Amino acid sequence: QVQLVESGGGLVQPGGSLRLSCAASGSTFSILYMRWYRQVPGKQRELVAALSSGGSTSYSDSVKGRFTIPRDSAKNWVYLQMNSLKPEDTAVYYCNAEDYHDAYWGQGTQVTVSS
């Protein structure tokens, strides 16, 4: 079992930056992938960024060049560094972890980009 807790959401102006944190606990040694998703009301959850246990990263086209997914392996934390934020980045952001058996979700954190 893996438990995930997100933090760091809030209100930011267009063009600003925000860093989300995801603290993983439990059987973190078994995690294969860590991902960030986002969701707006009435739409499907969208994959934003992914990080493999080997360190490979991937990003959706909508955030490529603006978002990164760094990690602190010693603390079992994963971050979503969001730069040059746009109003269309407004969503609830979820941390996700996948191991051989299951996928795990955090509770979500709201990010609002507005002037």
Side-chain angles (χ1 to χ4, degrees), residues 60-108:
S60 68
D61 288 342
S62 61
V63 306
K64 199 172 293 181
R66 300 188 297 122
F67 291 12
T68 59
I69 185 170
R71 67 179 173 182
D72 184 334
S73 298
K75 292 170 60 177
N76 291 317
W77 285 48
V78 171
Y79 306 93
L80 185 66
Q81 178 65 45
M82 305 184 291
N83 301 324
S84 302
L85 282 161
K86 305 174 181 179
E88 51 263 44
D89 294 319
T90 296
V92 177
Y93 284 72
Y94 295 90
C95 181
N96 165 272
E98 179 186 338
D99 64 16
Y100 286 107
H101 306 290
D102 212 339
Y104 309 92
W105 294 89
Q107 80 284 1

Side-chain angles (χ1 to χ4, degrees), residues 5-76:
V5 178
E6 301 107 334
S7 60
L11 173 65
V12 62
Q13 291 188 341
S17 297
L18 204 61
R19 188 178 79 163
L20 305 182
S21 300
C22 176
S25 60
S27 301
T28 57
F29 60 89
S30 65
I31 293 174
L32 300 173
Y33 295 95
M34 294 290 294
R35 302 180 178 98
W36 285 97
Y37 287 78
R38 65 187 181 188
Q39 189 170 25
V40 298
K43 292 191 175 181
Q44 285 191 334
R45 198 165 288 190
E46 174 194 14
L47 176 61
V48 173
L51 172 68
S52 75
S53 58
S56 299
T57 58
S58 61
Y59 302 93
S60 68
D61 288 342
S62 61
V63 306
K64 199 172 293 181
R66 300 188 297 122
F67 291 12
T68 59
I69 185 170
R71 67 179 173 182
D72 184 334
S73 298
K75 292 170 60 177
N76 291 317

